[in-house]
Amino acid sequence: MTTQDSPTARRVQLAGMLALTAIAVVATWIGLGASEALFMGAVLVAFTVFVTLGRRRSDAIRAMSGIGDERTQMLSLRAGAFTAYALSLVIAGWWLVSVAQGEPNETISALGAIFAVVWVGATVFYARRH
Amino acid sequence: MRNDVRDHRERLGLSQGALGIALGVSRQTVNAIEKGRYLPSLPLALALARHFGTAIEELFHPEPGDLP
């Protein structure tokens, strides 16, 4: 049984989100310039604040954070699985369209291959573990 | 699966929030269990039964099709 979220987990998550924000801002600054980087930083900081403060008030936002009791984690897992399933359909559909047009998209082909390998690996891993 | 969590909770005079704190889960999770929207894990079901001083079988009542 997983109990309520711990302050440590919340702090680690907040630090991770801020670190990702900093990395995204630096990458955007290098590639696109200062104004785009500041916009990117503002959006990511707003999302971080939204999750950090909103998780106390909303079940859905708590599930977005993935930190909480067993039901919160179940909701987060299901939402993640549904998102991955939807993304797999988009990648497969996009790849098929690009093949039918005679110009297979290399990025989509690579994403499809990575998705398939990770899915098979994860299935084997969890089947052996549980 | 039906359950008597609400009856047991109210008999002890506990709010959903208080029961949640005692069990280490959120008020929303207690609410979802009571309404049958969420089936708790076996450890949480055991913790609920122990908290109420009863057996799991007295707390949760499977309906046809619930059991394998």
Side-chain angles (χ1 to χ4, degrees):
Chain A
M1 179 175 74
T2 306
T3 56
Q4 288 278 46
D5 45 337
S6 71
T8 304
R10 289 201 305 265
R11 277 196 291 271
V12 167
Q13 184 173 65
L14 178 61
M17 290 173 84
L18 292 175
L20 281 175
T21 299
I23 291 168
V25 166
V26 170
T28 309
W29 198 307
I30 292 170
L32 300 174
S35 59
E36 283 82 356
L38 290 174
F39 178 74
M40 169 75 77
V43 169
L44 292 176
V45 166
F47 181 70
T48 301
V49 171
F50 173 74
V51 171
T52 303
L53 299 181
R55 62 193 310 289
R56 296 178 196 154
R57 296 172 176 81
S58 163
D59 235 8
I61 299 174
R62 196 178 305 122
M64 274 185 214
S65 80
I67 298 174
D69 63 18
E70 62 176 44
R71 179 170 158 274
T72 300
Q73 292 184 17
M74 182 271 292
L75 294 173
S76 180
L77 198 62
R78 284 190 183 179
F82 180 83
T83 305
Y85 181 70
L87 199 55
S88 73
L89 294 180
V90 169
I91 289 173
W94 196 338
W95 180 75
L96 284 173
V97 168
S98 73
V99 168
Q101 288 173 335
E103 295 175 2
N105 185 308
E106 283 184 20
T107 305
I108 294 297
S109 299
L111 277 177
I114 292 167
F115 192 98
V117 169
V118 172
W119 179 71
V120 169
T123 306
V124 170
F125 174 78
Y126 285 114
R128 292 175 68 129
R129 196 167 174 216
H130 295 285
Chain B
M1 187 171 306
R2 287 187 309 105
N3 69 74
D4 297 328
V5 171
R6 182 176 181 174
D7 293 339
H8 281 80
R9 174 178 62 78
E10 289 181 343
R11 199 183 319 139
L12 291 180
L14 292 171
S15 66
Q16 289 180 338
L19 180 58
I21 288 170
L23 296 171
V25 298
S26 68
R27 179 192 63 75
Q28 291 90 341
T29 294
V30 173
N31 182 264
I33 292 170
E34 289 185 358
K35 292 191 171 174
R37 286 190 288 114
Y38 175 63
L39 199 58
S41 66
L42 183 57
L44 180 54
L46 280 167
L48 273 165
R50 282 188 184 171
H51 191 79
F52 294 136
T54 186
I56 278 187
E57 292 85 348
E58 300 299 320
L59 210 51
F60 293 92
H61 311 288
E63 293 173 334
D66 281 342
L67 298 178

